[in-house]
């Protein structure tokens, strides 16, 4: 097994890191890529607006998912957890202990490669891993790299070095990027979910007013709450909500906001859901207390209102998007159905349901509710009373 190890402060992780990581992964035919956010010296004063170790870890996780290699990319917090000075040679030794059979490759950009001999214990580094150094231009890799490569080979006979040019690599300096973020720019250099996380946490003096976000900022913020695999669903729900809102004359902007935020707490587990219910004083019945799917609608609505300042209409649409209820508002119906029929949904009967929704909204709603009740009955799962009431109200 070949494993790439890519360390860095990832402050923040940006598209430059991701394109390089992806290119090296393919060129070296790696089986796994480990991203390792570096610990910062414990006594170093960090400038205001700097992320905590936990925040850099979360940003690196979000960025790692964006590489699109699924489980082949993993983020390790071993340097963040280490006490005292943190050395690459220690990190490689720890990884080698985790994967004794693996062939390790240490990924690095030009600057790092050119100073490698000044690092702590370079001979140990070479003994544990090959070096995969990437430059952005032919000039980087050939003129600069060849001199250094020959020097390293002479000095460390056990070194294995692979240098490569990655022409498409995005040219980003983290320092400049942080300055851009403070000036409300830089979104184009970041994976959307990472940009959203920065806005949400107020990092790097980004100073976004979460209660008055434009859609172009709310969207990445919403994505930062999601598991990667749920992103297509939420973006699909936004698209479907636009179409339904236009078809039935609802407020398109509100439909979009509701759609973007409707699953914002979906990835939380039962304990986290219940803690949020406690915090927001959300009353729960016995069935709700045990059902993750029912809880996320309630906690999602609470977060949407508390953090993002949505109005009562949007709040209600998120609150009822899973169960429905008797006497739903237009916006509630639209979000309920957009969530149900968005383009990435695929279940028997979805095409028929889509067609009915665009012919007659209430007929579509009734059909959706009956499908849910049928499915729950088939599974032997209890149906929430709000769903039964919603169906009965429509049947008259
Ligand atoms: Fe949901
Ligand atoms: Fe959903």
């Amino acid at each position: 097994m070949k494993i790439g190890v890519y360390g860095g402060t990832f402050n923040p992780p940006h598209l430059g890191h991701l394109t390089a990581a992806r290119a090296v992964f393919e060129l070296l035919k790696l089986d796994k890529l480990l991203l390792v956010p570096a610990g910062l010296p414990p006594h170093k004063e960090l400038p205001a607006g700097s992320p905590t170790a936990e925040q850099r870890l979360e940003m690196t996780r979000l960025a790692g998912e964006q590489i699109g290699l699924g489980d082949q990319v993993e983020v390790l917090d071993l340097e963040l957890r280490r006490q005292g000075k943190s050395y690459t040679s220690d990190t490689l030794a720890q990884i080698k202990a985790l994967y004794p059979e693996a062939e390790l490759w240490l990924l690095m950009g030009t600057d790092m490669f050119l100073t490698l001999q000044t690092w702590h214990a370079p001979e140990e580094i070479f003994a544990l891993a090959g070096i995969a150094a990437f430059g952005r231009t032919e000039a980087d890799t050939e003129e600069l790299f060849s001199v250094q490569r020959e020097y390293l080979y002479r000095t460390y006979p056990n070194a294995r070095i692979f240098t490569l040019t990655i022409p498409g690599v995005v040219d980003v300096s983290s320092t400049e990027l942080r300055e851009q973020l403070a000036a409300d720019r830089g979104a184009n250099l970041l994976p959307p979910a990472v940009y959203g996380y920065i806005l949400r946490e107020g990092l790097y003096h980004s100073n976004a007013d979460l209660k008055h976000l434009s859609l172009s900022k709310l969207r990445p913020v919403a994505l930062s709450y999601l598991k990667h695999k749920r992103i297509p669903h939420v973006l699909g729900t936004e698209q479907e909500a636009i179409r339904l809102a236009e078809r039935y004359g609802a407020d398109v902007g509100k439909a979009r906001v509701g759609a973007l935020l409707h699953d914002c707490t979906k990835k939380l587990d039962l304990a986290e859901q219940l803690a949020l219910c406690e915090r927001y004083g959300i009353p729960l019945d016995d069935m709700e207390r045990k059902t993750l799917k029912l809880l996320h609608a309630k906690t999602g609505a609470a977060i949407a209102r508390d953090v993002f300042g949505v109005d009562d209409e949007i709040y209600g649409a998120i609150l009822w998007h899973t169960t429905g209820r008797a006497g739903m508002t237009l916006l509630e119906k639209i979000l309920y159905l957009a969530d149900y029929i968005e383009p990435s949904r695929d279940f028997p009967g979805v095409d028929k349901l889509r067609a009915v929704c665009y012919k007659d909204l209430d007929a579509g709603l009734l059909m959706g509710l009956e499908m849910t009740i049928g499915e729950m009955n088939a599974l032997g799962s209890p149906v929430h009373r709000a769903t039964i009431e919603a169906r009965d109200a429509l049947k008259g």
Side-chain angles (χ1 to χ4, degrees):
M1 178 156 73
K2 280 167 113 177
I3 300 181
V5 179
Y6 192 4
T9 51
F10 297 122
N11 185 22
H14 52 61
L15 293 182
H17 298 122
L18 299 195
T19 24
R22 173 99 211 189
V24 174
F25 192 94
E26 275 158 17
L27 283 162
L28 282 177
K29 298 196 171 23
L30 299 176
D31 301 293
K32 197 180 216 2
L33 176 65
L34 304 175
L35 301 176
V36 188
L40 297 174
H43 304 298
K44 202 176 146 193
E45 275 293 318
L46 292 176
S50 296
T52 62
E54 199 52 51
Q55 287 170 325
R56 279 191 297 120
L57 183 66
E58 182 60 17
M59 286 193 284
T60 310
R61 282 200 192 110
L62 291 168
E65 291 183 333
Q66 197 83 25
I67 299 176
L69 293 167
D71 294 345
Q72 289 174 291
V73 177
E74 242 179 84
V75 179
L76 295 188
D77 63 354
L78 48 87
E79 289 198 7
L80 297 175
R81 283 191 284 114
R82 197 179 293 153
Q83 303 291 318
K85 280 206 165 161
S86 207
Y87 295 121
T88 300
S89 52
D90 296 340
T91 301
L92 290 173
Q94 272 183 282
I95 292 170
K96 191 74 187 175
L98 289 173
Y99 302 97
E101 304 299 319
E103 174 184 320
L104 303 185
W105 284 90
L106 185 63
L107 278 64
M108 63 184 69
T110 314
D111 299 355
M112 294 291 145
F113 180 61
L114 295 178
T115 59
L116 198 46
Q117 65 276 16
T118 69
W119 293 18
H120 177 77
E123 65 291 339
E124 280 178 40
I125 295 177
F126 288 120
L128 288 161
I131 305 300
F134 45 85
R136 292 179 199 111
T137 61
E138 199 70 27
D140 262 5
T141 30
E142 269 335 295
E143 281 171 44
L144 292 170
F145 280 17
S146 57
V147 178
Q148 172 71 347
R149 192 170 45 213
E150 273 152 38
Y151 166 78
L152 292 173
Y153 275 142
R154 246 182 293 122
T155 320
Y156 306 99
N158 62 343
R160 281 173 303 146
I161 298 167
F162 184 81
T163 57
L164 58 159
T165 307
I166 307 174
V169 87
V170 187
D171 193 353
V172 191
S173 117
S174 294
T175 314
E176 276 169 40
L177 178 52
R178 290 193 294 270
E179 285 166 13
Q180 289 193 25
L181 286 164
D184 199 15
R185 289 182 291 119
N188 55 325
L189 301 173
L190 289 160
V194 173
Y195 178 60
Y197 184 84
I198 288 168
L199 296 180
R200 159 149 81 94
E201 299 287 312
L203 300 175
Y204 311 115
H205 302 283
S206 51
N207 274 329
D209 176 358
L210 298 184
K211 291 200 160 69
H212 300 92
L213 289 175
S214 62
L215 277 166
S216 66
K217 286 194 171 137
L218 182 65
R219 191 173 303 107
V221 168
L223 300 187
S224 77
Y225 281 96
L226 304 172
K227 278 195 180 140
H228 191 67
K229 65 171 199 282
R230 195 165 299 278
I231 287 179
H233 164 64
V234 168
L235 296 178
T237 304
E238 185 194 7
Q239 294 300 308
E240 201 70 53
I242 295 171
R243 264 185 91 199
L244 284 168
E246 283 173 347
R247 167 75 178 79
Y248 292 106
D251 185 316
V252 174
K254 289 187 184 191
R256 296 179 86 159
V257 171
L260 286 170
L261 293 173
H262 83 281
D263 277 342
C264 70
T265 57
K266 185 87 180 184
K267 82 169 172 189
L268 303 183
D269 64 22
L270 195 65
E272 293 168 319
Q273 296 285 358
L274 292 173
L276 275 180
C277 290
E278 180 95 343
R279 180 164 131 211
Y280 287 111
I282 299 168
L284 298 173
D285 62 32
D286 278 350
M287 182 180 172
E288 288 161 349
R289 203 172 289 284
K290 287 179 293 196
T291 317
L292 214 48
K293 195 171 155 107
L294 297 176
L295 289 171
H296 87 279
K298 291 172 181 280
T299 54
I303 294 282
R305 182 155 70 187
D306 181 47
V307 179
F308 300 103
V310 305
D311 64 18
D312 290 348
E313 248 185 297
I314 300 171
Y315 175 85
I318 298 174
L319 186 63
W320 300 110
H321 87 265
T322 304
T323 57
R325 64 160 174 161
M328 291 170 86
T329 66
L330 177 59
L331 199 70
E332 287 167 14
K333 293 173 186 175
I334 283 173
L335 187 56
Y336 180 89
L337 288 171
D339 183 36
Y340 215 134
I341 64 170
E342 55 87 9
S344 79
R345 292 283 195 202
D346 188 15
F347 53 86
V350 67
D351 288 335
K352 176 127 189 277
L353 179 59
R354 285 185 182 123
V356 174
C357 285
Y358 282 92
K359 238 189 258 151
D360 178 334
L361 192 65
D362 281 342
L365 185 59
L366 179 58
M367 189 174 167
L369 289 161
E370 285 188 319
M371 284 171 87
T372 299
I373 293 168
E375 194 193 330
M376 300 300 270
N377 287 340
L379 290 167
S381 307
V383 181
H384 195 268
R385 61 181 156 67
T387 307
I388 306 283
E389 289 165 13
R391 180 202 54 190
D392 292 348
L394 281 166
K395 276 188 138 172

